[in-house]
Every structure is written in structure tokens, then in C-alpha cells.
Amino acid sequence: MTGHSRAKVLCVALAGVAMALAGPAQAKPKQVTIFTSLAGSTWYGIGAGMAKIFGEGGVQSNAELGAALSNIVNVVEGKGEIGLTMTAAVSMAEAGDPPFKGKIDKVAGLIGLSPSYLQIAVAKDDNIMGVGDLKGKRFVTQPKGAITAEVFSRTLKAYGLSESDLDLSRGSLDVQIDQMKDRHAKGMVSMASFPASFFSELANAVPLRMLPISDAAFAKIAADMPGLAQATIPANTYSGQGVPVPTVISKMVGVISADMLDDDAYWLAKALVDNLQAVRELHSSYKDLTPADFASIPGVRLHPGAARYYREKGVLK
């Protein structure tokens, strides 16, 4: 063997040792599409922030518009990798409750985030003191398929009303805000973390009252829609809101298809935990999130790949 050949063999051998020491390359998704919510919404910003985290990890990623219910269908059908939704929406999907056309059993949890609060805002000068006072009033809700619209419909039912009892229209978040500013609508609704930037801005233009949800009404809503809980929007969250407002919440979650490869789900969970501070900066309500919060998704089974990572991290038994 010539000296050149021996040197070549030695280089190959050393390269093999280096590869063995480094271990196999970590598997990761080829790309990540994240379904979010309406343009300009808190969810869209969160999804875009997650896409940036994945992109910096070497995976081409993007955020797309969506809605809590349709996002579940989209990931199960393989149209994207992650759907932002709520625990209440997952329970609806698994039960096959309308508007779902049948039971969906291929949805799995990736990450648990902060609660989203039902926030019903009305113009303060219209003397609307409670949900029952919305009868006959011009009100703008979100499009069908949005979890906000579904929870609001059940809230009306808990107060003995139906959507037909209101002068109801539907629209994007921008449409809702514009109608409130132009006084074409007396109120609007959104399920979002607080403080929601759009409500903060709107409250500076239109004095708002946030409508409370009574204990009795909550009991009826929760019986109709499992996955909801009670919580309170603290006083002074928004300009002019001097009292705490009891309402209902559902935990925001990121879901994936149960058919996703375990290694891909593992990488996604790890990428988010490894960039915990970046996740915390996506919204003010995330400032105290921990890996244990990520692994906690009440009523939703974790994907085995994500669960494996959370166990390794020591935040899941």
C-alpha cells in the first residue's frame, strides 16, 4: 500500500470515529406549516414566532391563517404539521360534535400554552350590562369554524338566547374592530390571552365594558362543551375596566397528527423547549411558561414522540 493510500485510509477511519462519537444526525421534519387564526390575531403572531424558531433550527417553516376547529382537521388530513387550537375544540372533534362531520381520533398534543379567555366587549355607553342584554343588538362574532364563535353561541344558549335573537354578523378580527369603531356594532367577541393587544387599542378609541359570565351560566356552558374552566380577567386589564370580569377559559394548545413520525414530534417539542425564552416572548401571558406547562394538556393525549422528549426532560412521568 502506498503512503498516499495509507493516508487516505487513515482519514476515512478517523472520519468514521468522529461520526461515531458525534452520534447519528437528529431526525427533523422536512418542513413545518403552522395553522393559526385570523389575520392580525394574537394566534397568528404566535404561530409566526414559532415558525421563526423552527426556521432557525434548520426547518423551513411558515404560519398560515386558520381557525381553531379547521386547524384540527387540517393537521389530521396532512395539510400542515401544527394546528393552534384549544382543549375545548379537541374535545368537540373527538366527540364528532357539529360542525365536525364525524369523530376525529387522530389528533395528538404537542405543546400546552396559556389559557384563552372568552372576552365579550361592548360599547360602555350602550347600557349593555350582561349577555342577556344583547337580545336585538347589533353584534359581530367570528366566522363559523372559529372556536370563539362556537363558545359564544353556547354562551348565548346558557342565557336563554340564540344567535337569531341578535342582529348578528360575522367577520375577521379587523372587521370586528372596524365595526366597533364605526359604531356599526354594539359589541364583539374573541377568545384570546389577556391583555389582547387589539382590545387594548380598541379600548383607547371606544370606551368598553367586558361582560361577565355568571356561575350558573358557566355550569350550563361547561355541560355543553367539556374542556372549559372558569377564570377571571383582572381589573384594569383594559382602559376603563375597573372591576374583575369572571369568564370562561380553554387552554391554548398546539396539536399535530397522531400519525406524525415520533422523531419529528420529538424534534418539534425539543426545539420549543430549547428556545423557552423565545417562546415566552411571543406573548405577555407566556412570561412564566415552563416545560412542565408545555407537557400539560388536559384532556388531550400527547403524541408519543413529544411525550418521550418531555419524559427525558423530567417534566412528565
Side-chain angles (χ1 to χ4, degrees):
M1 182 181 292
T2 66
H4 177 74
S5 296
R6 283 195 296 271
K8 184 175 181 180
V9 169
L10 179 60
C11 288
V12 171
L14 289 173
V17 170
M19 290 179 66
L21 291 173
Q26 185 179 357
K28 61 179 68 174
K30 293 180 179 178
Q31 64 179 34
V32 177
T33 294
I34 306 166
F35 290 103
T36 63
S37 185
L38 307 172
S41 67
T42 299
W43 283 22
Y44 186 82
I46 291 168
M50 287 184 176
K52 182 180 179 182
I53 290 170
F54 297 140
E56 291 174 347
V59 175
Q60 181 178 347
S61 305
N62 63 288
E64 296 288 343
L65 302 183
L69 304 188
S70 61
N71 291 350
I72 295 172
V73 176
N74 284 338
V75 297
V76 169
E77 292 183 349
K79 296 177 181 177
E81 285 65 45
I82 300 174
L84 299 184
T85 186
M86 296 186 196
T87 51
V90 176
S91 68
M92 290 175 61
E94 292 180 336
D97 291 342
F100 292 104
K101 296 180 180 180
K103 294 182 179 181
I104 295 177
D105 58 3
K106 290 289 186 178
V107 60
L110 172 69
I111 181 173
L113 296 164
S114 67
S116 287
Y117 291 65
L118 180 68
Q119 300 179 62
I120 306 173
V122 298
K124 186 175 284 188
D125 58 5
D126 282 318
N127 202 35
I128 300 171
M129 306 304 294
V131 174
D133 297 329
L134 293 175
K135 185 174 183 178
K137 300 294 193 302
R138 288 176 296 177
F139 193 95
V140 56
T141 186
Q142 293 183 5
K144 287 185 178 295
I147 190 64
T148 290
E150 295 300 323
V151 176
F152 181 64
S153 177
R154 286 163 172 77
T155 300
L156 291 175
K157 180 180 176 182
Y159 282 90
L161 299 175
S162 68
E163 291 183 345
S164 61
D165 289 319
L166 279 61
D167 183 359
L168 193 68
S169 61
R170 299 180 186 274
S172 68
L173 201 56
D174 288 341
V175 169
Q176 289 180 289
I177 293 169
D178 287 344
Q179 288 200 22
M180 287 292 290
K181 287 181 176 179
D182 296 340
R183 300 304 180 99
H184 290 156
K186 303 291 187 181
M188 63 172 283
V189 60
S190 181
M191 285 203 75
S193 301
F194 74 82
S197 59
F198 52 89
F199 275 133
S200 295
E201 294 171 7
L202 181 60
N204 291 327
V206 178
L208 297 178
R209 175 178 291 112
M210 308 301 287
L211 300 186
I213 305 298
S214 69
D215 291 347
F218 168 75
K220 294 178 182 178
I221 300 167
D224 199 24
M225 179 177 270
L228 296 176
Q230 283 182 294
T232 299
I233 302 171
N236 302 312
T237 295
Y238 302 111
S239 176
Q241 179 227 329
V243 296
V245 179
T247 187
V248 301
I249 61 170
S250 183
K251 190 169 187 178
M252 181 183 175
V253 295
V255 298
I256 55 182
S257 170
D259 291 333
M260 178 180 281
L261 295 175
D262 283 6
D263 285 347
D264 288 355
Y266 179 100
W267 185 89
L268 291 172
K270 184 177 186 300
L272 293 170
V273 172
D274 284 351
N275 291 278
L276 176 61
Q277 187 54 41
V279 174
R280 286 173 172 168
E281 292 172 359
L282 295 180
H283 192 270
S284 59
S285 67
Y286 291 2
K287 62 183 177 64
D288 296 321
L289 279 178
T290 67
D293 294 320
F294 289 2
S296 175
I297 311 179
V300 180
R301 66 183 183 277
L302 280 170
H303 189 286
R308 173 162 59 93
Y309 174 73
Y310 292 132
R311 289 192 187 95
E312 289 180 7
K313 192 69 177 177
V315 297
L316 182 69
K317 294 182 179 180

